[in-house]
Amino acid sequence: MSTHIGAKEGQIAPTVLLPGDPLRAKYFAETMLKDAICFSEVRGMLGYTGLYGDRRVSIMGSGMGIPSLSIYVNELVSEYHAKTLIRIGTCGAIQPYLKVGDIILAMASSTDSHINKLRFAGMDYASIASFRLLLRAYEEARLRAVNVHVGGVFSSDTFYEDDPDWWKKWAAYGVLAVEMETCGLYTLAAKFGVDALSILTVSDSIVTGEKATAQQRERDFPVMAEIALEISP
Ligand code: HPA
């Protein structure tokens, strides 16, 4: 076991899907994988490994925000030899044409986090997706009855901002949506030389105030997991 993951050596597959919510990890593992076993319950951050067709895949919660996700990604890669990390999460749209249920493939991530300023002595680092995974995910998404968009996202350290207009500058510069983890994922993937991609479902629109209903969550959220499983090497 590592500091925050209770798995034994070999229990975690080389490809790990990372929803923020551990109960979504449990749901996707139980409904989309065959013979899923739970490899960790440490801090309630559930992780499972099972079969998707003949491929072994793991699904584990990342928690919310860059610090939580970074702990798990560090340990998954350096202690359990993960090679492909795919975040499957939700985001808030900041472009008016994006609708609840749309899929966003995050090509790059901007952030208000200082994590990379600390890492790179005050300079900016452009955190980008694995092109190989991005291309595969785009092809898979286009086969489905879903709107797919490729572009930049904003990984924020705050969910509840003081300024209600804070997102408008980012929208004016073409950013599609806001979430809280992708910048950390892409930066660590680059550091360790592994592949990473964030596949996001729009759960709410910051522009229109539209929010996903329980029915939309049930119908739309599994699509991102299906795409992630299909592109798993
Ligand atoms: N902010 C940050 N993360 C999110 C949001 C949001 O509005 N919606 C879904 N994830």
Side-chain angles (χ1 to χ4, degrees), residues 90-92 158-159 178-180 203-204 206:
T90 57
C91 62
T158 39
F159 188 88
V178 56
E179 48 87 82
M180 301 182 75
S203 60
D204 53 276
I206 293 167

Side-chain angles (χ1 to χ4, degrees), residues 87 89-94 154-156 158-161 166 177-181 201-206 211 217:
R87 164 163 156 69
T90 57
C91 62
I94 59 172
F154 184 79
S155 301
S156 180
T158 39
F159 188 88
Y160 298 106
E161 301 270 353
W166 71 270
V178 56
E179 48 87 82
M180 301 182 75
E181 294 81 16
T201 304
V202 174
S203 60
D204 53 276
S205 169
I206 293 167
K211 283 197 183 352
R217 283 172 185 271

Side-chain angles (χ1 to χ4, degrees), residues 190-213:
K191 172 180 169 172
F192 290 120
V194 300
D195 280 325
L197 177 68
S198 281
I199 305 176
L200 306 168
T201 304
V202 174
S203 60
D204 53 276
S205 169
I206 293 167
V207 185
T208 63
E210 187 193 8
K211 283 197 183 352
T213 60

Side-chain angles (χ1 to χ4, degrees), residues 166-181:
W166 71 270
W167 53 275
K168 290 188 175 166
K169 184 80 165 198
W170 296 98
Y173 279 70
V175 169
L176 301 180
V178 56
E179 48 87 82
M180 301 182 75
E181 294 81 16

